[in-house]
Amino acid sequence: MLAVDSTVATPLLTKPLNLGADIVMHSATKYLNGHSDVISGVLAAREDNAFWQRLVAVRAQSGAVPGQDAAQLLRGMRTLFLRVRESCQSALYIAEQLEQHPQVIEVLYPGLKSFAGHDVAKKQMKSGFGGMLSIRLAGGEKAAIAVAAKTQLWCRATSLGGVESLIEHRASIEGPDTPVPLDLLRLSVGIENADDLLTDLKQAIDSAHV
């Protein structure tokens, strides 16, 4: 049984069931909703088998049925294609530009040829590489935390997939046992103007390294 979390890729970019997955999970709170005001989740199965029927039965018995969130989720999905397309384009642009910044030692984004999984991403993802990327900074943990604090357009928050662009120092969120590098910032690119987002990041990076 192969289960895949495809929240970040969204159904628009990757179709795991066609690639051999048995069950696909989406945190509908993220891209499917897109407005950061829903708590919901989605499971989809390739086959209506006995295991899937057990999951359906557990859901029915526990009363895990969405209420008002369903209406808000439907609202968000009406603009899913537009939002994801904009986020993908902006994320790729920002990733390519930040690769050239002297204080950025690494950009982690599947759309970049320098990314270790780029070839796999090209085969599995269509119409874009997602709106999520990470950057690692030459100044280490201190610089990363400072950059997150100095952005003005990027919101310092832990989430992803909304219309607003978010930045976070992930290691601080996860605590001392985190495997995340201390110099890493995670970025969720929203639908704001890409040049404005890039300019804001650059000023924050430059300010943190003065």
Side-chain angles (χ1 to χ4, degrees):
M1 181 67 64
L2 176 61
V4 175
D5 183 344
S6 195
T7 297
V8 172
T10 81
L12 299 179
L13 305 180
T14 304
K15 302 187 184 304
L17 297 182
N18 294 341
L19 296 171
D22 298 295
I23 295 178
V24 178
M25 180 186 77
H26 292 273
S27 172
T29 302
K30 308 302 192 288
Y31 283 101
L32 297 187
N33 168 50
H35 295 276
S36 304
D37 57 5
V38 162
I39 297 178
S40 187
V42 174
L43 288 180
R46 184 155 50 92
E47 297 180 5
D48 187 5
N49 53 28
F51 180 77
W52 177 249
Q53 285 304 315
R54 288 202 300 274
L55 292 179
V56 171
V58 169
R59 187 202 65 162
Q61 292 165 5
S62 62
V65 178
Q68 179 62 29
D69 281 351
Q72 292 173 281
L73 183 55
L74 180 61
R75 171 211 59 189
M77 290 185 68
R78 291 191 179 107
T79 61
L80 179 63
F81 173 77
L82 297 173
R83 290 185 287 101
V84 170
R85 181 182 66 186
E86 192 70 18
S87 293
C88 288
Q89 292 174 349
S90 294
L92 177 58
Y93 171 69
I94 291 169
E96 290 174 337
Q97 297 301 311
L98 289 181
E99 268 198 314
Q100 311 305 318
H101 197 288
Q103 298 300 333
V104 176
I105 60 175
E106 186 177 18
V107 180
L108 301 169
Y109 183 68
L112 297 176
K113 293 181 179 179
S114 60
F115 185 72
H118 177 68
D119 290 340
V120 174
K122 282 180 62 177
K123 293 178 182 178
Q124 296 186 354
M125 304 184 80
K126 308 299 180 183
S127 304
F129 295 95
M132 299 290 299
L133 66 141
S134 294
I135 60 174
R136 299 183 65 183
L137 297 167
E141 180 182 13
K142 182 179 179 180
I145 292 174
V147 169
K150 291 177 181 293
T151 56
Q152 299 174 11
L153 185 55
W154 296 77
C155 298
R156 192 175 184 181
T158 300
S159 190
L160 59 97
V163 294
E164 64 283 333
S165 293
L166 305 180
I167 185 170
E168 70 168 353
H169 182 245
R170 189 67 196 168
S172 295
I173 302 300
E174 295 189 2
D177 296 327
T178 180
V180 177
L182 299 179
D183 58 5
L184 182 143
L185 289 172
R186 189 181 82 168
L187 311 177
S188 173
V189 181
I191 63 172
E192 303 93 339
N193 179 273
D195 282 312
D196 290 344
L197 290 171
L198 179 62
T199 298
D200 188 32
L201 274 176
K202 285 184 174 179
Q203 67 81 21
I205 294 171
D206 292 341
S207 296
H209 287 84
V210 171

